[in-house]
């Protein structure tokens, strides 16, 4: 009797619904397989074959990935190209002009990791191959320096600092690479209010809030950008005002120079013989005296007042302002129009001396 009752209870267990406690999940069966994971897909413009393509095809393939919509692909492609250019000798089968045409648009890329990898790749390009492309590179650098995003602006300073290191003389001597960058700097520094208005033409209107001096902004997030901008413009002025090294007179070398090929790109471009006439901002200023003259006329007073205001802030801004002040003194101290005669001392003294 007892055994039959026990069997009935065991059979009823199969049809009883277990009572679950509130908040407690149902126990998983022993043969449960977790399928909640997701796999990431990798999309390639052109799938590489498994029969080991040559290095040239791999280089071109990664070069094509620079226009990919995926930021990780653009970053990884830049890393691969950096490795190829870092070899001895550098491997660049497409040439520097073609490579730069793909790289320069990435200066304003929205992803910070892509821009960081780009500057590493630019530093891997040999300096002699950069000097002939300075004018084109500066157009993209100016676009990055004046971008609406502050992060891209800061990276634009990194690009300019790199270019000054590898081709500083060519930068300040190229067409449109002296006056236009100085206008960009006065704009991003907030020193446009210090620029003297032109005596000819319509009367300039009053500036809005964007024309206020940068020292009055007091932004916490981008407070380090202001000293950084003054530091880079000081290096730019040092390249522009650098005195040429004296060359000893050699009559034989003087005559031989007439038969030698020029060592600078477009050596007679400043004459404008075979190009459309340029405006004053787009001209070449290959002589130090010419650069001093246009700087004194259009920017000297703005930089002088801006440096004075920045010095009052102290800290990082004050130290960068002192560096910029030294660049102004060394570069413009011997310019005649910046000097005045002190009757008490009987000497000519510069305004910033």
């Amino acid at each position: 009797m007892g055994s039959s009752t026990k069997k009935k209870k065991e059979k009823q267990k199969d049809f009883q619904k277990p009572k679950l406690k509130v908040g407690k999940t149902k126990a998983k069966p022993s043969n449960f397989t977790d399928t909640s994971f997701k796999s990431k897909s990798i999309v390639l413009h052109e799938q590489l074959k498994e029969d080991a393509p040559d290095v040239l095809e791999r280089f071109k393939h990664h070069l094509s990935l620079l226009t990919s919509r995926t930021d990780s692909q653009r970053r990884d492609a830049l890393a691969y190209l950096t490795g190829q250019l870092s070899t001895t000798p550098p491997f660049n089968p497409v040439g520097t002009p073609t490579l730069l045409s793909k790289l320069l648009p990435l200066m304003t890329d929205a992803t910070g990791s892509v821009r960081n990898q780009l500057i590493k790749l630019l530093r891997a390009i040999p300096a002699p191959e950069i000097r002939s492309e300075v004018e084109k590179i500066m157009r993209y650098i100016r676009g990055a320096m004046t971008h609406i995003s502050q992060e891209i602006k800061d990276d634009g300073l990194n690009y300019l600092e790199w270019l000054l290191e590898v081709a500083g003389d060519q930068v300040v001597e190229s067409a449109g690479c002296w006056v236009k960058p100085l206008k960009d700097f006065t704009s991003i520094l907030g020193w446009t209010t210090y620029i003297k208005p032109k005596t000819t033409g319509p009367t300039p209107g009053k500036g809005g809030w964007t024309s206020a001096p940068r020292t009055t902004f007091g932004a916490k997030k981008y407070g380090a950008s202001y000293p950084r901008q003054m530091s880079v413009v000081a290096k730019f002025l040092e390249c522009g005002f650098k005195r040429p090294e004296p060359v000893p007179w050699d009559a034989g070398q003087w005559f031989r120079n007439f038969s030698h090929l020029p060592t600078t790109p477009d050596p007679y471009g400043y004459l404008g013989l075979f190009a459309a006439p340029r405006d004053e901002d787009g001209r070449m200023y290959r002589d130090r005296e010419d650069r001093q003259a246009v700087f004194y006329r259009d920017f000297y007073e703005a930089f002088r007042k801006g440096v004075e205001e920045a010095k009052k802030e102290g800290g990082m801004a004050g130290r960068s302002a002192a560096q910029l002040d030294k660049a102004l003194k060394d570069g413009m101290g011997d310019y005649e129009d910046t000097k005045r005669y002190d009757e008490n001392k009987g000497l000519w003294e510069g305004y910033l001396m």
Side-chain angles (χ1 to χ4, degrees):
M1 184 71 179
S3 61
S4 62
T5 305
K6 184 177 179 181
K7 291 181 180 179
K8 287 181 181 180
K9 289 182 179 180
E10 290 178 354
K11 289 182 180 180
Q12 289 177 357
K13 287 182 180 180
D14 297 336
F15 302 97
Q16 288 179 354
K17 185 176 181 180
K19 295 181 180 181
L20 300 177
K21 294 183 180 180
V22 179
K24 186 175 181 180
T25 59
K26 184 179 179 180
K28 297 179 181 180
S30 58
N31 60 347
F32 173 76
T33 303
D34 186 10
T35 59
S36 61
F37 63 89
K38 295 181 180 179
S39 61
K40 293 184 178 180
S41 60
I42 301 176
V43 181
L44 299 178
H45 290 305
E46 181 182 354
Q47 184 67 35
L48 294 176
K49 299 179 181 179
E50 296 181 357
D51 53 353
D54 57 6
V55 183
L56 176 60
E57 292 299 325
R58 287 183 179 273
F59 191 95
K60 292 182 178 180
H61 171 71
H62 285 85
L63 196 63
S64 66
L65 292 179
L66 297 179
T67 57
S68 173
R69 295 183 179 181
T70 308
D71 53 356
S72 59
Q73 287 188 351
R74 298 195 301 272
R75 182 195 61 218
D76 295 342
L78 288 171
Y80 174 84
L81 297 175
T82 304
Q84 295 298 314
L85 292 174
S86 301
T87 58
T88 305
F91 181 75
N92 181 11
V94 299
T96 299
T98 303
L99 181 63
L100 288 176
S101 64
K102 298 288 186 179
L103 297 178
L104 295 180
L106 295 178
M107 286 186 174
T108 54
D109 194 277
T111 306
S113 59
V114 175
R115 299 193 304 271
N116 293 336
Q117 189 61 48
L118 175 61
I119 190 64
K120 295 179 182 179
L121 175 54
L122 293 175
R123 294 185 182 278
I125 301 177
E129 300 180 8
I130 292 294
R131 297 189 180 105
S132 60
E133 305 291 332
V134 164
E135 189 175 342
K136 178 172 63 176
I137 297 174
M138 277 298 298
R139 287 197 294 267
Y140 285 91
I141 291 179
R142 291 181 56 237
M145 288 172 50
T146 56
H147 199 272
I148 190 173
S149 171
Q150 186 64 40
E151 290 84 359
I152 297 179
K153 282 183 180 179
D154 294 340
D155 286 338
L157 298 176
N158 296 333
Y159 302 139
L160 180 58
E161 193 172 32
W162 155 76
L163 191 59
L164 292 175
E165 292 175 0
V166 299
D169 295 339
Q170 284 75 18
V171 170
V172 297
E173 294 178 1
S174 299
C177 296
W178 177 245
V179 176
K180 291 181 179 180
L182 288 174
K183 287 186 175 181
D184 295 336
F185 273 114
T186 54
S187 176
I188 63 178
L189 288 168
W191 294 351
T192 53
T193 53
Y194 301 140
I195 297 180
K196 296 182 294 184
K198 300 287 186 180
T199 55
T200 60
T203 303
K206 295 182 179 180
W209 70 271
T210 54
S211 62
R214 179 67 178 274
T215 53
T216 63
F217 287 177
K220 294 182 179 180
K221 184 176 181 181
Y222 304 117
S225 298
Y226 184 51
R228 172 72 171 152
Q229 290 161 0
M230 287 190 291
S231 177
V232 175
V233 73
K235 296 179 181 179
F236 181 76
L237 293 179
E238 289 173 358
C239 292
F241 297 147
K242 184 173 62 174
R243 293 175 175 83
E245 297 180 0
V247 179
W249 169 254
D250 185 356
Q253 183 64 33
W254 185 80
F255 283 105
R256 287 193 296 270
N257 287 339
F258 287 102
S259 60
H260 286 184
L261 294 175
T263 58
T264 59
D266 195 11
Y268 303 107
Y270 66 97
L271 298 175
L273 300 177
F274 307 102
R278 298 178 181 270
D279 58 358
E280 194 172 43
D281 294 354
R283 284 181 49 195
M284 291 183 179
Y285 296 93
R286 289 194 167 174
D287 293 333
R288 177 174 180 264
E289 292 76 12
D290 294 340
R291 293 191 289 270
Q292 285 179 317
V294 70
F295 179 81
Y296 175 73
R297 187 193 63 194
D298 296 338
F299 305 101
Y300 181 80
E301 190 66 17
F303 273 72
R304 185 180 67 84
K305 292 181 179 180
V307 167
E308 290 177 356
E309 292 295 330
K311 280 184 176 180
K312 298 176 183 178
E313 289 195 0
M316 294 178 59
R319 291 190 292 270
S320 298
Q323 180 185 358
L324 180 54
D325 188 17
K326 183 178 183 302
L328 289 174
K329 289 179 180 179
D330 296 342
M332 298 295 294
D334 60 344
Y335 186 65
E336 185 176 355
D337 288 345
T338 61
K339 297 181 179 181
R340 59 181 174 83
Y341 186 73
D342 191 336
E343 296 180 355
N344 297 327
K345 296 182 180 180
L347 297 173
W348 288 94
E349 292 185 347
Y351 289 126
L352 293 178
M353 292 300 189

